[in-house]
């Protein structure tokens, strides 16, 4: 079941499962050392799908300057290959449209997922750069109601 919750709406169990999975994917599996839990978590809308008590897909959405952004986009490794990434993006874009109407979306995407975001009409801006020890690209999407 898909959820879109503010930080204060998350149960402690949901928060634990989100942070556990994010750390597993972005720190342990990708062998990156950085502050994974940060000041954006309390101000974010957390979009996620749960199946059998497990987080299977997740992203967080938040306002950044005059734009809106999202990140920490992941599919649980045990559930990959089932189209959850596409479903997640639909829910992320719906959340942005509902909670941040008419805002440009600006993300920092890992280079290897550039084509994935292009499927959702994101445009690459500029050259790759290092962010948290990993090559990223700035990508934008103009959300018009």
């Amino acid at each position: 079941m898909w959820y879109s919750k503010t930080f204060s709406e998350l149960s402690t169990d949901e928060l634990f499962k989100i942070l556990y999975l994010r750390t597993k994917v972005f720190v342990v599996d990708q062998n990156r050392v950085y502050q994974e839990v940060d000041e954006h978590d309390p101000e974010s809308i957390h979009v996620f799908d749960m199946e059998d008590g497990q987080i299977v897909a997740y992203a967080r959405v938040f306002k950044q300057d005059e734009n809106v952004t999202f990140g920490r986009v992941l599919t649980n490794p045990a559930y990959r290959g089932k189209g959850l990434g596409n479903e997640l993006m639909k829910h992320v874009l719906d959340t942005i449209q509902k909670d941040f109407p008419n805002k440009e979306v600006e993300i920092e995407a890992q280079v290897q997922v550039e084509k994935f975001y292009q499927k959702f009409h994101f445009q690459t801006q500029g050259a790759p750069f290092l962010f948290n020890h990993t090559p990223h690209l700035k990508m934008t999407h103009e959300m018009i109601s």
Side-chain angles (χ1 to χ4, degrees):
M1 175 174 243
W2 284 96
Y3 299 92
S4 185
K5 295 185 176 188
T6 64
F7 188 78
S8 63
E9 292 171 329
L10 293 170
S11 72
T12 53
D13 187 58
E14 290 167 335
L15 179 61
F16 171 79
K17 288 176 179 179
I18 288 167
L19 298 178
Y20 183 90
L21 185 59
R22 283 181 12 194
T23 303
K24 179 187 179 336
V25 169
F26 296 119
V27 177
V28 178
D29 292 353
Q30 293 184 4
N31 196 27
R32 296 166 47 204
V33 177
Y34 73 103
Q35 185 61 51
E36 204 291 321
V37 178
D38 63 22
E39 69 279 358
H40 297 297
D41 285 312
E43 64 191 39
S44 293
I45 297 171
H46 302 267
V47 179
F48 59 100
D49 184 21
M50 287 194 78
E51 292 181 18
D52 301 321
Q54 297 296 314
I55 304 287
V56 297
Y58 171 87
R60 66 180 187 180
V61 178
F62 57 96
K63 190 170 185 257
Q64 185 170 19
D65 301 319
E66 297 304 312
N67 299 323
V68 63
T69 192
F70 63 88
R72 304 300 200 260
V73 176
L74 64 83
T75 300
N76 185 321
Y79 292 82
R80 290 188 180 147
K82 299 180 179 189
L84 287 168
N86 292 326
E87 285 185 56
L88 176 60
M89 282 305 302
K90 178 193 175 305
H91 288 280
V92 165
L93 294 173
D94 287 349
T95 297
I96 291 170
Q97 193 77 296
K98 177 181 157 277
D99 294 303
F100 305 96
N102 301 315
K103 292 281 188 187
E104 183 176 69
V105 182
E106 183 177 298
I107 62 172
E108 294 171 341
Q110 291 185 10
V111 168
Q112 71 268 17
V113 291
E114 178 182 19
K115 289 187 183 348
F116 173 75
Y117 289 117
Q118 287 174 338
K119 290 190 320 187
F120 297 94
H121 309 290
F122 280 83
Q123 302 293 317
T124 303
Q125 307 294 327
F129 59 92
L130 281 182
F131 180 70
N132 291 330
H133 314 290
T134 306
H136 280 69
L137 293 163
K138 178 181 171 183
M139 299 185 82
T140 58
H141 186 298
E142 200 169 316
M143 299 286 291
I144 302 297
S145 300

